[in-house]
Amino acid sequence: MARASAADGAGPTGSLARRLLAVALVFITVALVVAGVAIGFILHRFVRGQIDGRLDAQIVAIRSGLEQGPDGPRLSRDFDAPPFDREGSGWAWQVRRGGTLLRSASLGREALPVPAAPRPDEGSDRPQPADATDAHGRGLVLRVLTLPAEDGAAPTTIAASAPAAALRGPLREALTTLALALAVLGLCLVGGVLAQVRLGLAPLQRLRADLADVRAGRRERVPVAQPAEIRPLVAELNGLLDQNAANLARARTHVSNLAHGLKTPLATLTLALADPGRDADGTLRGLVGSMDRQVRHHLRRARAAALEGTARGRIGLASPIQDLAATLGRLHAAKGVRVRTEIAEGLTVSCEAQDLDEMLGNLMDNACQWCRGEVRVSAAMQDGAVAIGVEDDGMGLDPTAATSVLRRGQRLDETVPGNGFGLSITLELAELYGGGLTLDRSDLGGLRATLVLPG
C-alpha cells in the first residue's frame, strides 16, 4: 500500500532546492533580459534625442540666417562651425530652394541625400526625422525642415545630418557597460537566491539530522523548537513516535510475559525427560524439543519486530557492567572471584537495558563459574560496532566444544548448575540487534566470549 501511494504521488519528485533555484533562475533571466531591452530602448531614445537636438539647433540657426539675395537665397554669416567644417565627417547641412543649393564645407561637392520628408502638421515648424546613406554607403541621421513657399518662390528645405556612428558608438559603449552591470547584478541575485535557498532549507536539514538521531536512539523525540512552517509536521512526527513507543512497550511486555511463561516450563520438562527411565524411546523429548523450537522461533520473530523502529534506546556500558561485576563478586565471594573492568567512559551501545543486562549477565556469570579466580570485562569500538570481551582464567574450550556450547540446552559439565540455555539466548539476542557472539581463547588462559553490539 505504501509503495502504491508513493507511485501515485510521484509527481512532485526531485530536489526541492533544485526546483527553487530553477524557478528563480528563470525569473531572474527574464527580468534581466526585459530590463536590458527596456534600458537599451531608453538609452537609444536619449542618445538620438541628443543628436536630434544638436541638428535641430543647427537648422534653427541656419533658418534665422537665411535671407533672400539678388540671385536667390543666401546666408547672412558662416555656419561651418566644428564639426560641420570637416569634410567627410558626416556632420553636414544644406539648404535647397528650387535649383539653388547651399551646403556646408564638410560636404565638399556632394549633396545630402534628403528623402521626401512628410509635410509637417499645420502650424508646426519643427524639423522631421529621416535616415539616409551617403555616397560612401555610411549611414546618416537626418533632420529635415521644409518651409512653405513665399512670394511665389519655391519651398525651402533645410537639412542637417550626423553620422550614424555618432548614435551607435555612444550607444554601444553604454550598452556594454549596462550588460556588464546586469551580469554582475544577475550573479549577485543568483548568489542571494542560493543563500536564501540554503538558509530556507536549513531547518529541513536539521530536521533530517534530528530524525536520524531518533532512529539511531540518540533522541526519543524530535525537538519542538522549529520554524512555524515545520512545527505542525514535527508535532505529527512526535505524536507518531509516542504512539510507536507505546505500541512497542506493549509488544515487549507481551513478549516478555510469554517468554517467562514458556521458557522455564519447557526447560524443566527437558531436564525431567533427560532421565531415560521417564522417556525410554525419546518421543516425549522430541515433542518437547519441537515445541521449544517453535516457541523460540515465534518469540524471536515477535521480539525482532519489537526491536525494529525508532524506539530502540542507547545505554552506556560502564555503569551496568560495574553493577554486574559488584553483584557477581558478592555471589562468588566464597570462590574468591575478582572481576576487573576496562570500559572507556562514554562508550554506548544501541540496545535495550534489560536485554543488555541479560546478555552480560549470562556471559559474566558463566565466566565466574568456570574461572579459577579472575574475570576481565573490556569493551572497545570495532568497525563501527562495540565489541565487549568477557574473559576468564579457567581451562577454556577447544574449537569443537566452543561451537557446540552455543547450541540450546548444550552443557559440557552436568555437575555445574544450569540448564544450558544462557549462551544460546545471548547469541539469539545479539543477532536480533544485528550483532553476534564468538568464543575463543583468552590470553588469561581460559575462555574469551566476544559480544558484538551496534554502537
Side-chain angles (χ1 to χ4, degrees):
M1 292 298 293
R3 193 172 295 178
S5 298
D8 293 340
T13 57
S15 170
L16 183 60
R18 284 197 296 268
R19 283 192 288 165
L20 291 175
L21 288 175
V23 172
L25 287 176
V26 169
F27 277 101
I28 289 175
T29 302
V30 171
L32 291 179
V33 170
V34 171
V37 172
I39 296 175
F41 177 74
I42 294 173
L43 287 174
H44 181 275
R45 291 197 61 181
F46 176 77
V47 177
R48 179 67 184 257
Q50 295 292 313
I51 294 175
D52 289 348
R54 185 169 186 179
L55 296 179
D56 288 352
Q58 184 72 9
I59 290 174
V60 170
I62 292 173
R63 180 183 181 182
S64 64
L66 185 64
E67 58 185 24
Q68 182 65 34
D71 300 325
R74 64 183 181 184
L75 296 173
S76 59
R77 56 187 177 86
D78 185 14
F79 289 94
D80 284 342
F84 295 96
D85 59 342
R86 296 193 303 272
E87 186 173 353
S89 65
W91 291 92
W93 58 264
Q94 76 176 20
V95 178
R96 182 185 293 275
R97 179 186 293 173
T100 303
L101 180 65
L102 305 176
R103 54 193 168 191
S104 62
S106 60
L107 285 175
R109 295 182 177 275
E110 299 176 0
L112 284 177
V114 179
R119 289 287 181 180
D121 297 336
E122 187 70 23
S124 172
D125 57 354
R126 292 181 58 83
Q128 301 299 310
D131 295 308
T133 303
D134 64 9
H136 304 286
R138 293 173 298 187
L140 296 175
V141 177
L142 293 176
R143 297 289 287 181
V144 180
L145 175 64
T146 301
L147 301 176
E150 296 180 357
D151 300 330
T156 303
T157 301
I158 305 174
S161 70
L167 173 64
R168 292 193 299 266
L171 192 60
R172 186 184 302 112
E173 293 180 3
L175 290 178
T176 300
T177 304
L178 174 64
L180 291 176
L182 291 177
V184 173
L185 176 61
L187 291 177
C188 293
L189 290 175
V190 171
V193 170
L194 286 173
Q196 182 181 19
V197 170
R198 182 178 294 274
L199 292 175
L201 297 182
L204 294 181
Q205 297 292 338
R206 290 195 297 270
L207 179 60
R208 184 174 66 177
D210 292 337
L211 288 174
D213 290 341
V214 171
R215 182 178 180 84
R218 291 186 289 269
R219 291 179 182 270
E220 294 184 357
R221 305 174 86 250
V222 180
V224 296
Q226 303 286 347
E229 293 78 6
I230 302 179
R231 212 170 295 147
L233 174 62
V234 171
E236 292 295 331
L237 288 174
N238 284 332
L240 181 60
L241 291 173
D242 294 339
Q243 182 179 358
N244 285 343
N247 293 338
L248 176 63
R250 286 193 296 269
R252 288 188 60 83
T253 300
H254 295 325
V255 170
S256 178
N257 292 339
L258 184 59
H260 284 89
L262 294 176
K263 284 194 301 183
T264 301
L266 287 174
T268 304
L269 284 173
T270 301
L271 293 176
L273 295 175
D275 184 1
R278 296 188 178 186
D279 186 22
D281 58 357
T283 302
L284 294 179
R285 284 197 302 273
L287 291 175
V288 171
S290 176
M291 290 171 57
D292 186 60
R293 284 193 298 273
Q294 290 294 326
V295 169
R296 287 184 174 275
H297 170 71
H298 290 291
L299 284 176
R300 187 185 304 113
R301 292 186 61 183
R303 195 161 193 171
L307 290 175
E308 292 177 353
T310 60
R312 183 187 301 177
R314 296 183 67 85
I315 185 170
L317 282 177
S319 179
I321 289 178
Q322 290 171 0
D323 292 343
L324 284 171
T327 301
L328 292 172
R330 290 192 296 268
L331 289 175
H332 297 274
K335 188 177 179 179
V337 175
R338 184 168 63 93
V339 181
R340 293 191 294 114
T341 61
E342 299 174 0
I343 311 297
E345 289 293 334
L347 198 60
T348 62
V349 292
S350 180
C351 178
E352 294 293 331
Q354 65 186 59
D355 293 334
L356 181 64
D357 288 340
E358 184 172 357
M359 289 184 285
L360 291 177
N362 288 334
L363 295 179
M364 294 175 65
D365 185 51
N366 282 344
C368 291
Q369 289 182 14
W370 292 97
C371 74
R372 290 190 176 93
E374 183 178 2
V375 173
R376 181 173 64 194
V377 183
S378 60
M381 294 298 298
Q382 176 181 302
D383 299 330
V386 177
I388 306 170
V390 180
E391 306 170 72
D392 63 70
D393 60 351
M395 294 183 298
L397 296 174
D398 57 51
T400 303
T403 302
S404 63
V405 80
L406 292 176
R407 293 197 294 268
R408 292 173 32 258
Q410 182 67 43
R411 301 172 62 200
L412 299 182
D413 190 348
E414 298 293 338
T415 64
V416 178
N419 52 33
F421 290 103
L423 291 179
S424 63
I425 291 175
T426 301
L427 177 59
E428 290 176 1
L429 285 174
E431 289 176 346
L432 288 178
Y433 284 99
L437 175 65
T438 58
L439 303 178
D440 55 12
R441 178 69 65 173
S442 168
D443 57 9
L444 296 178
L447 182 68
R448 174 185 174 89
T450 303
L451 176 64
V452 178
L453 294 174

